[in-house]
Amino acid sequence: MQWLRSLLFNAQIYIMMLIMALVFFPFAVFSRDWALRACHTWCRWVICSARWMVGLRVEIRGTPPTIPCIVAAKHQSFFDIIVIFGAVPLGRFIMKRELMFAPILGQYALRIGCVPVNRGKRGQAIAKMVADVNKGLRRPGQLIIYPQGTRVAPGDVKPYKIGTGILYEQLGQPCVPVATNIGLFWPKRGVLRKQGTAVVDFLETIPPGLSKEAFIDRLGTEVETRSNALMAEAGFIVPKEVP
């Protein structure tokens, strides 16, 4: 029964994505505020419908940032993207350039301030983004990134990539680490969505000014330690070799 409810839940969130995208599109195409409103509305819908359709609740701990900053998050599931983006006012992502050409999705991504990059040219895109912010051509916001570069299932170990440290140095902004246990309830693959409380925890801000190596060490330690604690709190036995 839970698998069937999960299947229906999964289907309806994508149907609602299309409906909301079309309803908001005439306004969003001309206004970033409307584009953000559309995306936040859909995120709220997913979070609310997860609770009543599959029994998956969301708890946000810590203080989601409202100032311009980097949000460097543990990435276990598509759901953590939804919850984190929904919690911050001006979220945006670095995205593959190819997504610009996706119908509707690409337009929304550009309108909310996502940064399209060619493979291997991320540094150039970031430099332009910083210059545009300084010139008043781009509104500052919260740049959401995933330092491990991919979804990591609970218990798996993936390194934190130095590229996030380079980005931290280039932007000169504070970084808010984010820990989660969401992968226990909404796994990276499969249909089943489990009952329980998925937690996203916004941790203490890391100020600018560290070396990229020191920053990566601190970020990895804090996010992994807290994510492991959240997973243990939910009953998951964290392998001893995981930091």
Side-chain angles (χ1 to χ4, degrees):
M1 183 61 71
Q2 184 69 14
W3 188 91
L4 180 58
R5 287 198 294 263
S6 299
L7 180 63
L8 294 174
F9 166 75
N10 294 338
Q12 65 85 23
I13 65 173
Y14 290 107
I15 293 171
M16 289 302 298
M17 176 191 287
L18 178 60
I19 292 173
M20 289 185 185
L22 293 174
V23 168
F24 279 95
F25 191 74
F27 310 99
V29 73
F30 297 109
S31 167
R32 185 190 181 197
D33 288 339
W34 275 97
L36 284 165
R37 187 176 301 180
C39 295
H40 283 139
T41 299
W42 182 74
C43 289
R44 288 193 295 271
W45 173 265
V46 175
I47 292 168
C48 290
S49 61
R51 180 172 183 170
W52 60 265
M53 288 190 73
V54 296
L56 176 55
R57 294 171 173 79
V58 170
E59 179 182 347
I60 295 177
R61 299 182 186 176
T63 303
T66 57
I67 62 171
C69 65
I70 300 168
V71 176
K74 183 73 174 176
H75 188 21
Q76 294 182 334
S77 163
F78 180 48
F79 199 31
D80 56 58
I81 297 176
I82 295 169
V83 175
I84 293 169
F85 179 83
V88 299
L90 296 172
R92 61 186 178 208
F93 301 87
I94 295 175
M95 68 179 190
K96 293 187 294 185
R97 186 175 182 274
E98 291 78 6
L99 290 177
M100 289 174 54
F101 307 106
I104 299 180
L105 176 63
Q107 292 301 312
Y108 272 95
L110 292 175
R111 293 305 298 151
I112 68 174
C114 292
V115 183
V117 298
N118 290 321
R119 187 178 299 273
K121 295 184 178 179
R122 179 174 296 190
Q124 294 178 17
I126 293 300
K128 184 179 185 304
M129 183 186 73
V130 174
D132 287 349
V133 168
N134 292 336
K135 293 176 182 177
L137 301 176
R138 183 189 295 270
R139 290 172 62 187
Q142 297 80 43
L143 182 64
I144 304 167
I145 61 175
Y146 297 100
Q148 291 171 292
T150 186
R151 290 174 295 176
V152 180
D156 285 355
V157 178
K158 298 286 185 184
Y160 281 62
K161 298 183 177 182
I162 197 63
T164 303
I166 296 172
L167 179 62
Y168 163 81
E169 284 189 335
Q170 288 178 330
L171 289 178
Q173 291 181 343
C175 174
V176 179
V178 181
T180 188
N181 66 0
I182 275 179
L184 297 177
F185 307 98
W186 186 317
K188 60 185 293 187
R189 295 185 181 89
V191 170
L192 183 64
R193 308 292 178 248
K194 299 178 182 178
Q195 297 180 355
T197 300
V199 179
V200 167
D201 195 354
F202 290 86
L203 307 179
E204 182 179 349
T205 299
I206 300 174
L210 299 178
S211 69
K212 57 181 176 291
E213 293 82 8
F215 166 74
I216 287 295
D217 286 344
R218 176 172 171 178
L219 176 68
T221 298
E222 293 184 3
V223 171
E224 291 301 304
T225 298
R226 185 58 184 150
S227 293
N228 289 341
L230 292 175
M231 290 188 289
E233 181 182 308
F236 180 73
I237 300 176
V238 180
K240 292 183 178 180
E241 62 269 19
V242 177

